[in-house]
Amino acid sequence: MPDDSALADAEWTALLEARHRGVPGAGPLAALFAPLLVPAAAADGCVVIGRLAQTLDGRIACANGASQWIGGRGDILHTHRLRALCDVVLVGAGTVHHDDPRLTTREVAGPNPVRVVLDPQRRLPVTHKVFSDGAAPTLLVTSLPGAARHGQAEVVVQPDLPGLLRDLAARGLGKIFVEGGGRTVSAFLAAGCLDRLHLTVAPVILGSGIPAFTLPEAACIGDGLRFRWTPHVIGDDMLFDIALDRVKPGNQVA
Ligand SMILES: NC(=O)c1ccc[n+]([C@@H]2O[C@H](COP(=O)([O-])OP(=O)(O)OC[C@H]3O[C@@H](n4cnc5c(N)ncnc54)[C@H](OP(=O)(O)O)[C@@H]3O)[C@@H](O)[C@H]2O)c1
């Protein structure tokens, strides 16, 4: 199989233009990115894509939170491409606490998305880069009313994920990239709020660590969510593109 992380500059520029025009792109990765480029099908007006890089045994980080890097160079490039093609990059508080990410598109040409951090209990200090580096507009989403700003970030009080998607769409932010961690991607899946999942699997076994998915308990294998997937080779890793179409655990269509 060809390496799908090896994208010529001209092909990447064409995808950025397709995003701008709201049409499906052309070229080798058009099918992978097209769902992000066309108008949303969901009533809330959003296209939501979740992404994780996991080990063969389903871990996204060591038990101490170290996660850099589970995926290789191809996965890093893919992640930055998703940031550039979306209006929003969204992460959970655990990811900001452990990684202190900037969430910019510095590995590829393209605009920085608006950064959204979910911190229900407002536990994160303002010293994190996303709240202080000025690299892109940032929203802190919480369940607790309080100060209207958190460092340079605007505070949004919204405890509900479907409500958050409606709020973001009302701001003109309809392409939502949920970059991690596991609890945050799982929360979007459990709420039936994911259109697509891009799951990178790296040839690594940890045997311990933070899990990729935590969902309501399944009593038998048939209760698990089962999907069709399209595999892509990205360097030494495999990327699985999965159409979730807003399915919820316990609510799947046969
Ligand atoms: N491999 C990958 O693709 C990937 C991607 C992103 C992140 N990661 C790694 O995944 C880990 C985080 O994932 P996750 O599933 O644990 O969390 P997450 O989805 O990033 O964030 C969800 C929860 O983190 C909790 N949290 C934990 N420690 C916190 C702290 N010190 N301050 C504030 N909130 C905290 C909050 O819980 P409360 O509700 O209790 O406040 C929050 O609701 C990190 O180790 C990160 O490096 C890996």
Side-chain angles (χ1 to χ4, degrees), residues 27-195:
L29 291 195
L32 181 61
F33 291 118
L36 283 174
L37 305 178
V38 297
D44 55 34
C46 290
V47 179
V48 189
I49 179 165
R51 163 267 167 207
L52 288 170
Q54 68 165 53
T55 62
L56 279 175
D57 54 334
R59 314 290 179 162
I60 58 161
C62 298
N64 64 11
S67 66
Q68 294 170 347
W69 304 99
I70 287 178
R73 175 81 188 142
D75 181 61
I76 293 170
L77 272 177
H78 182 70
T79 303
H80 282 243
R81 285 174 184 152
L82 286 174
R83 290 177 186 172
L85 291 173
C86 287
D87 301 318
V88 163
V89 57
L90 182 152
V91 295
T95 297
V96 173
H97 170 71
H98 284 293
D99 300 350
D100 196 18
R102 283 175 280 175
L103 303 175
T104 57
T105 56
R106 56 202 178 276
E107 296 285 345
V108 297
N112 287 330
V114 172
R115 304 177 293 194
V116 174
V117 177
L118 296 195
D119 184 8
Q121 304 304 315
R122 293 185 87 145
R123 293 163 67 195
L124 295 171
V126 293
T127 46
H128 284 294
K129 293 187 185 95
V130 283
F131 304 131
S132 59
D133 68 3
T138 304
L139 305 178
L140 174 76
V141 178
T142 180
S143 304
L144 302 178
R149 299 205 71 83
H150 190 73
Q152 296 174 358
E154 177 185 344
V155 174
V156 173
V157 179
Q158 176 54 270
D160 172 64
L161 292 181
L164 174 61
L165 294 182
R166 289 192 295 272
D167 290 352
L168 292 172
R171 292 169 182 256
L173 304 172
K175 314 283 186 198
I176 315 296
F177 173 34
V178 182
E179 188 173 312
R183 285 172 60 185
T184 298
V185 173
S186 298
F188 273 81
L189 179 50
C193 287
L194 285 183
D195 293 288

Side-chain angles (χ1 to χ4, degrees), residues 216-240:
E217 191 171 316
C220 62
I221 301 299
D223 284 352
L225 292 169
R226 189 176 286 268
F227 308 102
R228 289 204 169 82
W229 60 14
T230 305
H232 296 263
V233 173
I234 51 169
D236 293 333
D237 305 324
M238 290 298 298
L239 168 68
F240 295 98

Side-chain angles (χ1 to χ4, degrees), residues 240-251:
F240 295 98
D241 174 30
I242 300 164
L244 298 180
D245 296 328
R246 304 273 179 133
V247 72
K248 274 188 192 182
N251 198 20

